[in-house]
Amino acid sequence: MLNVIYAELLKLRHSKIRWLVLLGALPANLVTLGAFLPRVTPDGTSAAIDIQDMFYRQGMFLIMMGPAIFALITAYIFAREYQERTINQLFSYPVSRVNILMAKLAVVFLQIVMTTVLSCASVFIVVFLMLLNNKVDVHMIWTGLKTNALICILSFGTIPVAAAVSMVGKNVIPTAVLGVFTTIVTVIGEIGHGRQNIMFPWLTPFWPVRDLAQGIADNDGPNPFAVPALSILSITFLAGLLYSIVYYSKHDVHSGS
Amino acid sequence: MGYVLRTNNLSKRYGNQAVVNDLNMNIRSGDIYGFLGQNGAGKTTTLRMILGLIKPTAGEIELFGESLSGGRARAMERIGAIIEYPGFYLNLSAVENLEVHRRLMGMGNKEIMEEVLAMVGLLDARNQKVKNYSLGMKQRLGIARALLHHPELLVLDEPTNGLDPSGIKEIRQLFRDLARQRGITFIISSHLLSEVEQLATRVGIIHRGWLLEEIDYDTLQRKTRNYLEVMVDDDKKAAYVLEQKLGVSDYRIAGPGIVHLYDYLEQSDKVNLTLISHGVGVKQILLSGDSLEDYFLRLTGGESHA
C-alpha cells in the first residue's frame, strides 16, 4: 500500500497541485496579517497581537477557500487518469482498484493537511516571535492547532463526494462546478454566522472555527447543532465513499474513458 | 507446449448489442499471436477483458493456467500491456513515469529502467518531460514500460501506431528478438494485414465479435500461396506425369480433373508441353491463389479495411 501511495505522490511532481495548495493557503495568511493593524482597547490603550483572532481569521478563510480548492485537488488526482488516458494502465496493475482509490484519498488528505499547515504560516511566525519574548498563551496555541486538525478532518468528510463526481464525470469540470457552488454556499453561510449553518456538510469545518470565536464574538456556549452536523457529514462521507468504492471497482474502462 | 491464455466462450454485450461472441482463443507459450480484424471488430474489447478493464458478460479467461477471476493480481504481474494509446503522466519525465510503474508493480530493481529505455532508443530523452514527446516516442516509452517488469506475456493493441517506417521496422525486430531470446509470448492486435503478416506465428481473425479462424501462420501461408490450376482430362495420369517427368511433389488434386501445382509457377508453358507430350489433355492452365488479403476477405464476407 505504501508503494501505491508513493506512486500517487510521485504523479503530482511538477504538477499544478502545488499552485492550488498555495492558492488555498495564501488568502488565509494575508487576512491573518490583519491582526497587525493598530487597535485600541475600550480603555484607550493599545491592544496586543491576539493569537486567537489570528487563528480565527485563518480558519475562516481556509474554510471559505477549502471547498473549491480541495475539490479541484481531488478532481485533478482522480479525473486526470481519464483525461490523460492513464486509467487503462492504472487498472492493469496487480493492485486492487479499492487500494488505488484509498491511496488517492490518502494523497488528497495529505494535500488538505499541507494547505492547512501553510495557511497557518503567518500565525506560526508570529507565535515564534512571541516565544522569543515569552509572551505566548500556550493554551490558545493548542486550541488553534486542535481547530486546524479538526478543519482537516472535517474538510475530508466531503472529499469522497468530489471523488465520485470526478470519476463519474471523468473530467475536472463537474467537480470544479461542485467546488464553486459549495464555496458560494460556504461564504454565504459564514457571513450569516448562524449556528445551524454547520449542518451543510461543506460548512461543518466552520464548527470548531466558530467555537474559537468564543470570547471574540458574543457566542452563547457550545453549538447545539454540532451532533446533527457531524451525523450529516458522516453520512455524506460514508455514502460518497461507498459509492466511490462500488463505482471504481466495478465500472468498465472503455476507449477514451 | 502450455497455453498462456485461453478464453472459453468469452462474450461481451451492451444491451442488445453483442460486441464479442463466444470467443475461444488459444495462445501458446512463445506465440506471436496476430489478432486481426477491422476497426470495431471487437479486438480492443477482447484485450480489455483479458486485462480486467472490462468485465465479460459471459465466459471465462484463463491466464497462465489460472482463472482470471480468481488470480487477477498474480496474472497481471506477468503481463505487460499497451491498450489503444500509451497514456502517461505528462508532467513527469520518462524515467519518472517508469518509476511510477516500478512502484505499482512492486519491483525493487531500479537499473532496469535505463536498460529498457536503451532498448527502445529513448535513453537520451529519459529526463525530458513526456508532454514534449512525439506520438512515436510515447509509443516507444509504452513498450519500455510494458517490458520493465520482465513480463511473460505482452498484450499490445496496435503497437506501431504513430511510428515512422524505420521505427516500425526497429520495433518489429525488437519484438522478434524478445520472442526468441526471452521467450515472451505476444498478442498483437492490428487492423493491418501487413503488420500481422510480418510478425505473427499464429493468427486469430475476428469479425463482428466472432473469432472466425485461429490458425498457425505456416498453415495460413500454405492456404494463401499461389498455384497453377491445371484442368486436365485425367487427373491421375497428370499427377503421374508431373511426379515422374517434372519431379514435382508439391501439388494436390483439388477436384475431378483439377490439379493445383505449387511449383513451376513461372513455367506454365513447360508444364503444358510436358503433359501434352505424355498424352494428358490440358484444357486450361491458370495462375491462381489467395493472398492473405483475399483469404481475409473471403472469411469476412468481402468486407475489409484490413
Side-chain angles (χ1 to χ4, degrees):
Chain A
M1 188 63 180
L2 279 180
N3 262 335
V4 186
I5 294 175
Y6 184 86
E8 286 300 327
L9 284 170
L10 196 59
K11 290 176 192 175
L12 302 180
R13 220 184 252 182
H14 326 295
S15 73
K16 294 182 179 78
I17 281 284
R18 55 188 161 179
W19 299 112
L20 275 177
V21 169
L22 278 178
L23 191 67
L26 198 63
N29 278 291
L30 291 176
V31 169
T32 310
L33 294 177
F36 284 99
L37 292 172
R39 286 182 306 175
V40 286
T41 56
D43 59 7
T45 56
S46 219
I49 292 170
D50 185 350
I51 294 295
Q52 184 183 9
D53 182 37
M54 288 185 91
F55 270 125
Y56 176 65
R57 287 163 187 259
Q58 171 260 327
M60 285 276 283
F61 263 78
L62 180 60
I63 290 161
M64 277 186 200
M65 299 298 289
I69 298 295
F70 300 151
L72 279 174
I73 289 172
T74 310
Y76 182 76
I77 288 171
F78 281 90
R80 73 176 303 200
E81 304 281 4
Y82 297 94
Q83 289 186 291
E84 294 177 18
R85 295 163 82 174
T86 47
I87 195 78
N88 288 330
Q89 187 64 39
L90 185 67
F91 283 174
S92 305
Y93 285 115
V95 178
S96 81
R97 293 187 188 187
V98 175
N99 280 0
I100 294 170
L101 172 72
M102 293 305 166
K104 284 185 180 295
L105 289 175
V107 170
V108 175
F109 185 69
L110 282 176
Q111 303 302 317
I112 292 175
V113 172
M114 209 179 295
T115 310
T116 307
V117 170
L118 284 174
S119 74
C120 295
S122 45
V123 187
F124 289 151
I125 291 167
V126 171
V127 166
F128 177 72
L129 292 174
M130 291 173 104
L131 263 174
L132 295 178
N133 296 315
N134 292 321
K135 285 183 186 167
V136 178
D137 178 353
V138 177
H139 172 72
M140 186 40 63
I141 294 170
W142 176 237
T143 308
L145 291 177
K146 272 199 304 188
T147 301
N148 277 288
L150 269 173
I151 291 175
C152 288
I153 294 165
L154 298 174
S155 297
F156 188 65
T158 54
I159 293 303
V161 176
V165 173
S166 304
M167 59 181 80
V168 174
K170 297 175 176 56
N171 198 300
V172 175
I173 309 272
T175 322
V177 171
L178 171 78
V180 170
F181 169 74
T182 49
T183 292
I184 292 169
V185 176
T186 305
V187 170
I188 294 168
E190 280 193 34
I191 291 169
H193 217 266
R195 290 186 300 181
Q196 71 280 10
N197 293 349
I198 63 166
M199 289 202 289
F200 179 58
W202 280 264
L203 249 176
T204 311
F206 185 49
W207 163 53
V209 178
R210 195 177 182 283
D211 275 3
L212 192 71
Q214 296 275 4
I216 297 176
D218 288 330
N219 284 339
D220 40 4
N223 193 331
F225 295 98
V227 172
L230 287 175
S231 306
I232 292 171
L233 185 66
S234 303
I235 291 167
T236 307
F237 177 78
L238 288 174
L241 186 64
L242 212 69
Y243 181 84
S244 298
I245 288 173
V246 172
Y247 185 85
Y248 218 47
S249 52
K250 299 275 182 218
H251 86 283
D252 284 350
V253 183
H254 296 287
S255 305
S257 64
Chain B
M1 196 180 284
Y3 286 98
V4 167
L5 168 70
R6 300 182 89 168
T7 65
N8 180 23
N9 294 330
L10 190 66
S11 304
K12 182 68 185 176
R13 299 183 72 86
Y14 293 105
N16 291 327
Q17 196 196 350
V19 183
V20 174
N21 296 293
D22 294 332
L23 190 112
N24 294 305
M25 211 179 197
N26 299 283
I27 300 175
R28 294 170 304 212
S29 175
D31 276 348
I32 299 182
Y33 189 94
F35 196 32
L36 189 63
Q38 301 161 9
N39 292 327
K43 302 186 296 292
T44 302
T45 304
T46 305
L47 298 187
R48 281 176 184 278
M49 286 194 278
I50 291 168
L51 293 171
L53 296 171
I54 290 180
K55 294 201 170 38
T57 312
E60 272 184 31
I61 299 167
E62 190 186 290
L63 276 162
F64 307 105
E66 201 175 353
S67 164
L68 184 65
S69 51
R72 186 190 166 272
R74 277 191 299 281
M76 290 304 133
E77 284 173 4
R78 301 164 74 178
I79 297 178
I82 302 179
I83 292 294
E84 274 195 322
Y85 171 88
F88 292 101
Y89 303 102
L90 303 177
N91 52 311
L92 303 182
S93 67
V95 169
E96 287 166 337
N97 268 288
L98 293 186
E99 176 64 10
V100 169
H101 180 80
R102 194 179 72 83
R103 291 274 172 181
L104 287 166
M105 291 303 298
M107 291 170 64
N109 184 5
K110 261 188 159 184
E111 288 70 41
I112 186 78
M113 294 197 291
E114 303 232 322
E115 193 184 302
V116 289
L117 283 169
M119 209 183 272
V120 296
L122 285 176
L123 197 57
D124 291 340
R126 64 187 181 279
N127 293 320
Q128 212 174 306
K129 282 189 181 172
V130 174
K131 71 176 170 195
N132 299 321
Y133 271 31
S134 66
L135 179 58
M137 288 167 87
K138 283 181 191 163
Q139 200 69 270
R140 283 165 187 269
L141 184 58
I143 293 165
R145 181 171 61 188
L147 288 171
L148 191 73
H149 54 287
H150 295 302
E152 292 163 55
L153 170 66
L154 268 180
V155 179
L156 305 170
D157 191 12
E158 313 266 0
T160 53
N161 267 358
L163 293 177
D164 55 34
S166 67
I168 292 175
K169 208 172 160 191
E170 276 174 43
I171 292 298
R172 208 179 277 147
Q173 191 53 47
L174 175 69
F175 291 164
R176 281 195 202 104
D177 292 345
L178 286 167
R180 199 179 54 244
Q181 291 162 9
R182 295 196 193 172
I184 296 178
T185 306
F186 285 80
I187 306 175
I188 300 175
S189 87
S190 184
H191 64 282
L192 299 172
L193 283 164
S194 56
E195 191 63 50
V196 169
E197 222 169 356
Q198 292 183 60
L199 265 175
T201 57
R202 194 165 163 79
V203 176
I205 297 173
I206 186 169
H207 183 63
R208 293 184 176 172
W210 297 97
L211 189 65
L212 299 182
E213 179 130 57
E214 198 173 56
I215 187 169
D216 284 335
Y217 189 68
D218 292 345
T219 314
L220 184 63
Q221 262 191 323
R222 273 200 298 280
K223 282 190 176 186
T224 58
R225 63 190 176 147
N226 286 341
Y227 54 86
L228 283 178
E229 186 172 82
V230 188
M231 298 175 86
V232 290
D233 56 0
D234 184 342
D235 49 55
K236 286 189 181 65
K237 193 174 175 185
Y240 177 79
V241 172
L242 288 171
E243 276 183 31
Q244 298 302 315
K245 303 299 171 190
L246 291 175
V248 170
S249 58
D250 197 1
Y251 73 91
R252 72 184 180 99
I253 311 278
I258 302 170
V259 179
H260 285 176
L261 178 62
Y262 296 97
D263 286 337
Y264 291 93
L265 298 182
E266 307 291 323
Q267 293 167 281
S268 55
D269 52 341
K270 190 175 177 182
V271 173
N272 189 25
L273 199 65
T274 307
L275 288 170
I276 290 170
S277 63
H278 289 86
V280 180
V282 177
K283 296 171 185 168
Q284 198 177 30
I285 299 183
L286 287 171
L287 180 62
S288 191
D290 278 353
S291 65
L292 181 55
E293 191 170 3
D294 293 330
Y295 186 77
F296 182 85
L297 283 170
R298 206 174 59 236
L299 270 180
T300 59
E303 297 171 48
S304 173
H305 300 294

